[in-house]
């Protein structure tokens, strides 16, 4: 049966692009002097040997048509034959694991597959072919996952980026891509990556976190969640601010679930990862320049095009350049209820970054005019931080109240007050209302939102 989807006239390894050769540098293989134990080195060498045999025998043109179980049986039979011919005894559990790893090499992303399938892993960070870290529950930990050598890692990178029409080589040594499940991938290779290729994967949540779940995790309390839900339903413009990995996209997904089903939403992202549940959603994604240096589509191009698509709301995954000006224009000209995220350490810093990015368009706008656009377009800034214990918290929900002279005025409605560090390293504190009722409260009521005034009382709302 194996001959139905195998071929013997194909040279080993001819199905892959050897990016290691493109770099002009020799691949580095693990040796006994490496920190890896000898048993792991031998296992990597054995898997490499069997992988080459599989590549020589498999007919990749028809392999997708073969049922997974049938393919597994035939691969297991071939591996058992090779191990027997070479007198390499192996325990049953080790044999099954080896077959799984070989199937991952042929059909998936090799050593990354078990990490991608692990629901407890949020981020996968490949520092080099010998060093792989993961983040679980906000804490980084080193794994025993290894790639055979640098060429092996480069082949996996090429497999990832080529599936979404991207490329990575010496002329374009870094790339943003996404996996089929929506996981976000960044890869960078030599000469920019001095110690060899590096890959960062932010895994796509199969079940987006809801406000109820965020409350359980301590990200915010139920009173603040009720306010955020009301802000979305009343079509307020929201800016979500925070550092890398602070949960901005998670918060954006949670808030977007309260957008009405009758509203037309256009999303704009560098790498699509938003998970909107509505039916009437148009998803747009940027495109890098091609090999000739042409064909680039930027976020600003997509925001301007979105304005012609009759959107009720525009959601930009993250503003980081000149598209910020067009986003503010949209918020000020009838596209209420729009949302976006930005990298910043505090809510006040977020407004400063928005101001700086508007100036990137190169027009000589007075600072006062830019700030007036920001104060008029944005209603609320939500600040998220990733704390020292790995937890992600909403640090503040601040309302933009207007202008005083040339300064944008803000007031905190909810804040997280840190009180110390526990013996186990956990951050102690509580999320509480400041006692200030937002100026937009009347607008929320007029929009038909049922929001109790006592939610904003500073008494008895700690979580």
């Amino acid at each position: 049966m194996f001959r139905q989807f195998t071929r013997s006239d194909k040279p080993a390894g001819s199905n892959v692009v050897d990016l290691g050769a493109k770099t002009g540098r020799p691949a580095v293989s693990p040796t006994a002097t490496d920190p890896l134990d000898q048993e792991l080195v031998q296992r990597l060498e054995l898997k490499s040997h069997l992988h080459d045999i599989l590549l020589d025998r498999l007919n990749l043109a028809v392999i997708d048509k073969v049922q997974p179980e049938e393919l597994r049986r035939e691969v297991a039979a071939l591996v058992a034959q090779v191990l027997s011919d070479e007198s390499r005894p192996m325990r049953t559990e080790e044999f099954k694991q080896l077959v799984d790893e070989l199937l991952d090499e042929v059909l998936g992303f090799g050593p990354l597959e078990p990490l991608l399938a692990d629901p407890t892993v949020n981020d996968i960070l490949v520092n080099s072919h010998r060093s792989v870290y993961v983040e679980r529950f906000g804490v980084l930990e080193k794994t025993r996952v290894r790639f055979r050598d640098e060429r092996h890692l480069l082949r996996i990178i090429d497999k990832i980026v080529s599936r979404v029409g991207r490329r990575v080589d010496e002329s374009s040594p870094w790339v943003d891509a996404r996996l089929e499940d929506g996981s976000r991938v960044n890869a960078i290779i030599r000469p920019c990556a001095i110690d060899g290729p590096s890959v960062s994967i932010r895994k796509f949540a199969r079940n987006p976190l809801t406000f109820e779940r965020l409350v359980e995790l301590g990200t915010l309390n139920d009173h603040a969640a009720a306010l955020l839900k009301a802000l979305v339903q009343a079509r307020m413009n929201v800016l979500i601010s925070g550092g890398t990995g602070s949960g901005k996209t998670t918060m954006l997904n949670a808030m977007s679930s309260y957008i009405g089903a009758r509203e037309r939403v256009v999303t704009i992202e560098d790498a699509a990862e938003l998970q909107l549940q509505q039916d009437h959603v148009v998803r747009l994604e940027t495109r890098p320049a091609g090999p000739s240096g042409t064909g680039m589509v930027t976020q600003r191009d997509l925001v301007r095009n979105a304005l012609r698509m009759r959107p009720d709301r525009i959601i930009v995954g993250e503003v980081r350049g000149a598209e910020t000006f067009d986003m503010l224009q949209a918020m000020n000209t009838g596209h209420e209820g729009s949302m976006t995220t930005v990298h910043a350490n505090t809510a006040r810093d977020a407004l400063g970054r928005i101001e700086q990015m508007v100036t990137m368009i190169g027009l000589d706008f007075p600072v006062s005019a830019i700030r007036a656009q920001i104060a008029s377009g944005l209603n609320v800034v939500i600040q998220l931080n990733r704390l020292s214990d790995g937890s992600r918290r909403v640090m503040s929900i601040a309302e933009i109240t207007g202008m005083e002279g040339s300064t944008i005025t803000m007031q905190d409605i909810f804040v997280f007050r840190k009180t110390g560090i526990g013996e186990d390293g956990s951050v102690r504190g509580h999320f509480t209302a400041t006692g200030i009722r937002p100026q937009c409260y009347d607008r929320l009521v007029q929009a038909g939102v049922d929001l109790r005034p006592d939610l904003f009382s500073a008494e008895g709302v700690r979580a």
Side-chain angles (χ1 to χ4, degrees):
M1 189 181 299
F2 198 87
R3 66 175 64 92
Q4 294 175 2
F5 54 96
T6 60
R7 53 188 299 176
S8 59
D9 58 347
K10 187 176 180 181
S14 63
N15 67 302
V16 295
V17 178
D18 191 350
L19 288 177
K22 292 183 180 181
T23 64
R25 296 172 180 264
V28 181
S29 299
T31 67
T33 60
D34 289 335
L36 301 175
D37 57 72
Q38 186 64 28
E39 181 182 352
L40 182 56
V41 173
Q42 293 174 353
R43 183 176 181 81
L44 289 171
E45 291 175 347
L46 173 59
K47 191 168 70 172
S48 174
H49 173 57
L50 293 170
H51 184 229
D52 289 340
I53 294 175
L54 282 177
L55 292 178
D56 187 43
R57 295 287 301 274
L58 289 175
N59 183 356
L60 298 181
V62 299
I63 197 171
D64 290 339
K65 302 176 183 178
V66 179
Q67 292 296 322
E69 287 304 317
E70 180 183 0
L71 177 62
R72 180 184 176 82
R73 284 196 301 270
E74 300 299 344
V75 168
L78 177 62
V79 172
Q81 178 185 342
V82 173
L83 293 177
S84 175
D85 293 343
E86 298 183 2
S87 301
R88 295 193 186 208
M90 185 174 290
R91 294 194 297 270
T92 301
E93 288 303 317
E94 291 180 347
F95 178 81
K96 290 180 179 178
Q97 183 180 354
L98 180 60
V99 171
D100 288 338
E101 291 175 359
L102 288 170
L103 287 171
D104 289 340
E105 291 287 348
V106 175
L107 301 176
F109 301 125
L112 297 179
E113 282 294 331
L115 302 180
L116 291 169
D118 187 342
T120 67
V121 173
N122 298 320
D123 289 85
I124 303 170
L125 307 172
V126 182
N127 295 341
S128 69
H129 71 277
R130 306 182 207 177
S131 176
V132 180
Y133 285 79
V134 297
E135 181 197 286
R136 285 189 174 93
F137 310 110
V139 179
L140 288 176
E141 59 182 70
K142 191 171 185 178
T143 72
R144 284 179 55 84
V145 172
R146 302 289 187 275
F147 293 84
R148 183 171 66 251
D149 50 34
E150 193 169 307
R151 285 195 179 96
H152 183 200
L153 175 54
L154 285 165
R155 280 204 302 269
I156 298 300
I157 292 174
D158 183 62
K159 186 181 289 189
I160 291 173
V161 302
S162 62
R163 290 188 179 184
V164 291
R166 305 287 173 96
R167 66 187 181 90
V168 59
D169 52 36
E170 279 193 339
S171 63
S172 180
W174 63 82
V175 65
D176 288 312
R178 54 185 168 82
L179 304 181
E180 293 178 355
D181 68 354
S183 298
R184 186 174 62 193
V185 181
N186 174 270
I188 184 167
I189 65 172
R190 299 182 191 270
C192 292
I194 297 174
D195 297 323
S198 176
V199 183
S200 304
I201 301 177
R202 171 64 55 81
K203 285 180 61 178
F204 187 80
R206 290 179 173 83
N207 298 309
L209 294 179
T210 62
F211 275 142
E212 290 76 13
R213 181 58 178 152
L214 291 175
V215 170
E216 291 177 10
L217 294 172
T219 302
L220 71 172
N221 64 16
D222 52 357
H223 290 193
L227 173 61
L228 297 185
K229 177 181 177 180
L231 293 174
V232 176
Q233 294 174 333
R235 298 177 60 85
M236 308 292 280
N237 294 326
V238 176
L239 176 66
I240 302 173
S241 167
T244 300
S246 59
K248 298 186 298 297
T249 302
T250 298
M251 179 60 68
L252 190 55
N253 275 322
M255 294 184 67
S256 67
S257 65
Y258 294 101
I259 295 175
R262 295 184 179 181
E263 298 182 64
R264 176 175 171 83
V265 182
V266 178
T267 68
I268 298 166
E269 301 174 84
D270 272 336
E273 56 181 331
L274 292 175
Q275 298 170 273
L276 272 65
Q277 308 301 313
Q278 293 78 6
D279 291 330
H280 204 166
V281 176
V282 180
R283 304 168 71 209
L284 306 180
E285 188 177 49
T286 61
R287 187 180 72 180
S292 63
T294 61
M296 175 181 288
V297 179
T298 66
Q299 282 202 141
R300 189 177 190 193
D301 296 329
L302 295 178
V303 171
R304 294 165 113 177
N305 185 78
L307 297 176
R308 305 184 184 99
M309 299 173 65
R310 197 228 163 264
D312 291 309
R313 303 184 194 230
I314 297 175
I315 298 179
V316 179
E318 179 186 336
V319 289
R320 53 168 65 99
E323 72 276 358
T324 308
F325 174 74
D326 300 286
M327 185 70 191
L328 284 175
Q329 291 293 94
M331 290 177 170
N332 278 296
T333 54
H335 301 89
E336 297 175 333
S338 296
M339 294 181 279
T340 188
T341 74
V342 68
H343 275 79
N345 293 325
T346 66
R348 176 61 66 179
D349 287 348
L351 298 186
R353 287 216 63 211
I354 294 293
E355 180 182 324
Q356 291 173 351
M357 288 187 284
V358 171
T359 63
M360 292 174 65
I361 63 176
L363 299 179
D364 190 19
F365 284 120
V367 172
S368 58
I370 296 175
R371 292 177 180 173
Q373 285 284 310
I374 295 172
S376 176
L378 292 171
N379 302 118
V380 174
V381 181
I382 304 169
Q383 177 66 37
L384 296 106
N385 282 4
R386 179 180 171 184
L387 304 182
S388 58
D389 61 354
S391 62
R392 295 166 172 86
R393 300 289 180 93
V394 173
M395 302 305 292
S396 67
I397 300 175
E399 180 186 27
I400 297 176
T401 56
M403 298 275 294
E404 280 189 8
S406 61
T407 303
I408 301 173
T409 56
M410 306 173 67
Q411 60 182 13
D412 288 334
I413 309 302
F414 287 92
V415 295
F416 177 77
R417 302 195 189 280
K418 184 177 175 180
T419 58
I421 303 293
E423 294 181 359
D424 59 352
S426 61
V427 174
R428 293 179 176 176
H430 55 268
F431 197 76
T432 181
T434 61
I436 299 174
R437 193 173 80 167
Q439 288 187 6
C440 64
Y441 180 77
D442 291 339
R443 179 175 168 182
L444 300 179
V445 174
Q446 292 167 8
V449 176
D450 183 17
L451 197 65
R452 304 192 323 270
D454 62 350
L455 258 62
F456 309 108
S457 170
E459 298 296 328
V461 296
R462 295 184 178 185

